[in-house]
Every structure is written in structure tokens, then in C-alpha cells.
Amino acid sequence: MIAIRPRPVRGVALACLLVLGVSGCGLSAELDRESNPERKPTPTPTPAVEVPTRAANPPPSGIPTHSPSEPAPSVPVQEGQGCPPSGLRFRADEGDAAMGLRAMGLDVTNCGDRPHKLNGYPAVTVLDASGDPFPDVRTVEGTDKVFMAPEDPGPRALTLDPGESAHAALYWRMHNQDGVYLRVALKKGDDTVTVRPPYSLDIGPENTLGTTAWQPSA
């Protein structure tokens, strides 16, 4: 009598796994054919990349922090090119601010062919967007009427030869309105010109504009 050996369990299990694997692969392929009959490759989603945005150019750390009022095109301002008939060109800078104190530089350059003598303070009037004097703004010589303003170095006699410049500083306290233009002259009684600073003066009514005396430009 021939004894029948039982089939090893390991071989049976392996065979089952092979059958399941083949049938599983076939089932997976069949499902893939049904969902994608044209057999187009399935696109791989690209992970979103966060691109940092760059902020627009910030205003200088000065005055004001908001946009200046729109000027009136009819206001006559100093020409941007060439030398005025007076031989003097004025320029206001971007200004600076700290603790409610506002500051702006005012420069004058002798672009003519003869020297100019000066000894004292510039004549300055703040104008609104229409070119009218800003109401109730008082311009004073010196800085002692403006809280926290630096000390005025005081007047000195200067001769501004052709090509040379002089500098004065303007100080005021922060307010909520804009002075758009400056009407300036070398001194009181001289012919004036109108310049538009890069940024308006948030000076407001019932305010004081202090000026330092002309000094040689550094």
C-alpha cells in the first residue's frame, strides 16, 4: 500500500499568494482600463509653491506717510531744468520725522554767473494744493517755537559764488493736513519762486513752521 504524503502547507500558501497576486494585478489593470480607456498617462499633481511677494517701494521714513494731495496743474512752479533768470535754484528734500517732529531741508544753488550775498533766513510760505497760502500757518525765524526742534545755528554772512550752495532746515509738528508747495526766497523782500517738495508737509492750520538760517552746504 502506497502512503500518500500530505502537501506541505508552505507550498499551498505560496501557490495561493501567487494566484491572488496574478488575479489582483489583473483586476487592477482592468479597473485602470475602465477609468482610462484611452490609456493616457495620469498627470502627477504639482505641489503648490508659495512665491513670496515683494512689497512696493515704501515711502521714505519721513513725511508724510500718506500720499500727497493732488496738485493743481495751473500752479506755476520752478522749472525742472535750466537756470532761472534769478540765477538761483531752490530744492526741498524728502524730509524726515521722529516723535511727531517733522523736518525738511531747503537748498539753494547759485546756477548763475555772479555771486550772491546772504545773511539770515529764507522766506518761506506753505501753499495748499491750489497754490493758496495754507491757512493760519505761521513761519518764524529760528526753531525755539517748535517743540523738540534742534537749535538754530544762527545767521552768518555768506557769499554764494557760482556753483555753490547753501542749506536751511524747516521744522514743524505733525498735523493731519497737507501743504503741497513752498513759496521761497533767499530772504524777505526778494522775488519768490514756488517749489513742490517730493512729499507734502502735514503741517495743518494753527501750526508753526520754524526755519534755520542759511548755512554753507556740506
Side-chain angles (χ1 to χ4, degrees):
M1 182 174 184
I2 301 173
I4 300 176
R5 292 183 179 181
R7 192 172 182 177
V9 176
R10 180 180 300 176
V12 174
L14 180 59
C16 292
L17 289 175
L18 290 173
V19 172
L20 289 175
V22 172
S23 62
C25 292
L27 178 60
S28 175
E30 183 63 24
L31 292 175
D32 183 57
R33 281 193 296 270
E34 291 181 1
S35 63
N36 190 2
E38 298 181 4
R39 308 298 292 169
K40 293 181 179 179
T42 303
T44 303
T46 303
V49 178
E50 183 177 353
V51 180
T53 57
R54 184 174 181 178
N57 293 332
S61 59
I63 51 171
T65 56
H66 53 283
S67 300
S69 300
E70 187 67 24
S74 59
V75 177
V77 296
Q78 178 185 254
E79 294 293 335
Q81 302 293 331
C83 186
S86 64
L88 297 172
R89 172 168 290 282
F90 293 87
R91 184 186 72 88
D93 64 23
E94 294 178 341
D96 200 358
M99 300 292 291
L101 175 67
R102 303 310 201 215
M104 179 175 285
L106 180 66
D107 295 287
V108 59
T109 300
N110 184 351
C111 58
D113 54 7
R114 65 180 182 87
H116 289 266
K117 295 185 179 297
L118 59 161
N119 184 7
Y121 296 82
V124 182
T125 302
V126 183
L127 309 179
D128 62 17
S130 299
D132 298 322
F134 217 73
D136 301 323
V137 171
R138 183 170 63 109
T139 302
V140 298
E141 295 180 352
T143 58
D144 56 338
K145 302 297 183 184
V146 181
F147 179 63
M148 292 181 64
E151 183 179 357
D152 170 31
R156 56 182 294 186
L158 298 174
T159 298
L160 211 59
D161 290 323
E164 293 183 338
S165 300
H167 178 82
L170 314 177
Y171 294 97
W172 69 96
R173 299 298 300 179
M174 177 185 66
H175 208 279
N176 61 354
Q177 297 187 39
D178 292 341
V180 178
Y181 302 99
L182 296 175
R183 181 182 294 156
V184 298
L186 203 61
K187 62 181 184 298
K188 289 181 179 179
D190 283 5
D191 292 338
T192 63
V193 297
T194 301
V195 297
R196 188 186 181 199
Y199 293 88
S200 57
L201 288 73
D202 56 345
I203 187 168
E206 299 180 3
N207 209 332
T208 299
L209 179 72
T211 66
T212 66
W214 290 114
Q215 303 292 319
S217 295

